Amino acid sequence: MRSSLALAGITVLVGSGLAVVGTSASAAPQPAPESSALVADANAALTAHSAAVKGSAKDRFAVFSSKKDRGGGAVVRYTRTYDGLRVAGGDVIIRTDARGDYASSSAGLGAPLTLGTKPTVTSSGAKETATGEFSGKISEAGAPELFVDASDGVGRLAWETVLTGMGADGQTPSKLHVITDARTGAVIREFDEFKTITGEGHGIYSGQVPIETTQSGTSYSLIDPDHGNGRTCDMNNTTGGTCTTFTDADNVWGNGTNANRQSAAVDAHIGASLTFEYFLDVHGRNGIFGDGRGVPSRVHYGNNYANAGWDGAQMTYGDGSGNARPLVSLDVAGHEMSHGVTENVVPGDLTYAGESGGLNEATSDIFGNMVEFFANAPGDPGDYDIGEMIDIRGNGTPLRYMYNPTLDGSSHGCWSSSTRSIDVHYSSGVANHFFFNLAEGSGATPYGTSPLCGTAPAVTGIGRDKAEKIWFRALDSYFVSNTSYVNTTTPSNTARAYTLAATSDLYGLCGAEYKAVQAAWTSVNVAGTDGDNCVANNFSVALNPAAVTLDADTSATTTFSTTVIAGEPEEVVFSTGALPAGVTVAFSAPSVTAGESVEVTVSVSSAAGSGTYPITLVGTSPSVSRTASLSLTVNGAPGCSGANETDRVISDNTTIESPITISGCAATPSTISQVTVDITHTWRGDLVVTLVAEDGSTYLLHSRTGGSADDLKQTFAVNLSSETANGTWKLRVQDAAAGDVGTLNRWALSL
């Protein structure tokens, strides 16, 4: 469940380059009054730099949230739709400087979306599949929503069905989201909106503490006026019906034992207050929702219910085994309510699967423990264990250990290629371990011994105060919904890159804190390409514009600027990477002194093939080399391209062909003609894909590579210069094995 505030926002039509004022429904908090100018600047920046966020002509962006940032700039988050459909994983962040100019962006897509939006599987078929995934009793099955699932950085058409009810135990609330492929019907993933910490507690933890209550006449109630009127109520060991707000005649609550029902309520009440206060005092966030509202807390939920959880709007605490061990410890409260912070900051939440799900859980572990340190309670001092007071295992050990995550027997303490495939509560271990090493250092510490991964060098900690601020800024200003540890589709969309950017914002580039963040990620086997960021004489590069579109025999100019970011300005010599046939690049000067700019002219001759190409521009100084990528789109000659949008089902062990007829093309096909293929399939390694020319010549594009990975969505460069352009071209797709099926959604040919 998300917050449902309506936001009057801006819809940006990237394809047309126009900004149109409109109203968009959003789960975001309302922007501050001064944000309208900030949003206008960000909209202009988004329109001018659509290539940076992989925008397409069918994309539309709506403002989710905006805030004034350090130094007078802005951080504006957007949601994305494609051809009218929501894009999960398509959210972006635009950051502007104090002048309102584009500074940088965050985006999760690896390339602009090009998929068709006509489903093969019906809505009713998707709902039937989804209901089969629910283990428990369904009270409501929502209508499936057709959307674009780009949670892995590559879009595919999918259905999302939300099922509400009770889990298999009959007591745990469930709001299960089931994502199914709209082409094949296969289940892609599922996640439950009710986030829990499963286990049993060990009694009452807070002891004698001051709590904020509300007086009405001669009676007091557990409503906290200082923290958004958050209330604490009694479910009376039921799972439904009225939750009764606790009241008392003398404003003295509980007696520290479970025999008094108020005692567990005191723990929950103080947990909600301290979590609110932590985010406000340490991070400047006005509570969990960001708008000053308090959190309702339901205690004594269910019968023998050994669980606690956050459902998007409120906290729920069971009484544990035998109704004798309420799960109301402070780190549990802080952990679960931090899920509320994450889902209210990041549009669509940090996707609760794979590595982004691990980052979601780690964020709650990190802030749950930081709340514990913030509270500084004598009976429950701060530590880096999760759930140590509730004895979830029944043997006195914590649920998880941040200093050495592998101690729980399941969590990963070092990243590996299998981290993305395990339960999110265990993939969280990589980020937990990183945070511990950043705050406290590796090796022996007062909280436990933190091992290193492989041959990584030792890490010297920078302290909790700095570490928690770095993590929060990365979450608040950089993370998008599919941010991960390692990302081959969008290498910049990683927790390492974003925490380094956050550190640079807070403490400067290449200081002790920046180098500690680098070292802490390396210590958990998360490498990066930022190793040369801290050379003595350093500079950065930028392009404006970063994308150009040209017809044959035309040219365009872009500005390649250099900026000194450390040390002395050195001579920067310019060059390019390998260029496509028919494309030339000329610099107005062979070199400049760092801090200066050069004009770059890009020219396209008739020998260039149509398509979009990344052009790498390089600036090299004696100390470091920097690159920028120019997106060059070459329009094809009239009549020399075509597309087939007709869906073709690919059954097991069958071969299909899809034709495109080219006529009226006067050009000779290029040495880098473009064949764009969009195939949805549940086992890419089954596929053999071949282009067949008019004369029967064949060009192998893909031959059973990729193993069990899903889908084949790729543009292939093919030398077709020996062929005649006009005639019927065919895409031949063979499924060469049993067990998995798919659909050819579309393919396109540019000669």
Side-chain angles (χ1 to χ4, degrees), residues 247-269:
T247 59
D248 188 80
D250 61 5
N251 210 22
V252 177
W253 303 82
N255 62 8
T257 72
N258 192 45
N260 187 317
R261 296 182 72 82
Q262 292 182 354
S263 299
V266 168
D267 288 327
H269 200 68

Side-chain angles (χ1 to χ4, degrees), residues 417-657:
S417 58
S418 63
T419 298
R420 62 176 56 94
S421 303
I422 64 173
D423 184 274
V424 295
H425 294 87
Y426 304 138
S427 60
S428 65
V430 176
N432 282 342
H433 197 188
F434 155 80
F435 184 87
F436 181 87
N437 287 348
L438 179 63
E440 305 294 341
S442 59
T445 76
Y447 304 99
T449 299
S450 173
L452 295 164
C453 300
T455 59
V459 182
T460 300
I462 60 174
R464 290 187 300 276
D465 289 350
K466 290 181 177 179
E468 65 187 341
K469 288 180 174 63
I470 288 169
W471 192 266
F472 182 81
R473 179 161 180 82
L475 172 72
D476 192 41
S477 298
Y478 289 92
F479 283 5
V480 291
S481 58
N482 58 356
T483 296
S484 57
Y485 295 125
V486 175
N487 193 323
T488 55
T489 302
T490 314
S492 62
N493 184 27
T494 65
R496 176 172 177 138
Y498 291 152
T499 50
L500 283 169
T503 306
S504 181
D505 293 342
L506 294 171
Y507 306 111
L509 180 68
C510 297
E513 296 86 358
Y514 190 94
K515 293 176 181 177
V517 172
Q518 290 179 309
W521 280 120
T522 300
S523 75
V524 297
N525 200 36
V526 176
T529 58
D530 46 74
D532 64 353
N533 281 359
C534 298
V535 296
N537 298 318
N538 202 357
F539 69 97
S540 62
V541 295
L543 282 171
N544 187 22
V548 295
T549 299
L550 294 173
D551 296 322
D553 298 317
T554 62
S555 62
T557 301
T558 183
T559 301
F560 192 26
S561 59
T562 66
T563 302
V564 177
I565 55 178
E568 297 297 322
E570 297 180 320
E571 182 186 21
V572 178
V573 178
F574 298 111
S575 61
T576 70
L579 297 174
V583 176
T584 59
V585 172
F587 297 94
S588 61
S591 66
V592 298
T593 300
E596 299 175 342
S597 301
V598 66
E599 296 301 306
V600 182
T601 301
V602 182
S603 302
V604 174
S605 74
S606 58
S610 59
T612 299
Y613 308 96
I615 305 297
T616 301
L617 304 181
V618 185
T620 304
S621 74
S623 299
V624 69
S625 181
R626 297 295 184 203
T627 63
S629 182
L630 176 70
S631 178
L632 170 64
T633 299
V634 180
N635 293 326
C640 295
S641 62
N644 189 321
E645 305 281 350
T646 303
D647 291 350
R648 294 291 305 276
V649 174
I650 308 167
S651 302
D652 278 335
N653 292 303
T654 60
T655 299
I656 64 166
E657 289 186 343

Side-chain angles (χ1 to χ4, degrees), residues 154-165:
V154 180
R156 60 177 151 186
L157 196 64
W159 291 104
E160 179 171 10
T161 308
V162 181
L163 307 170
T164 304

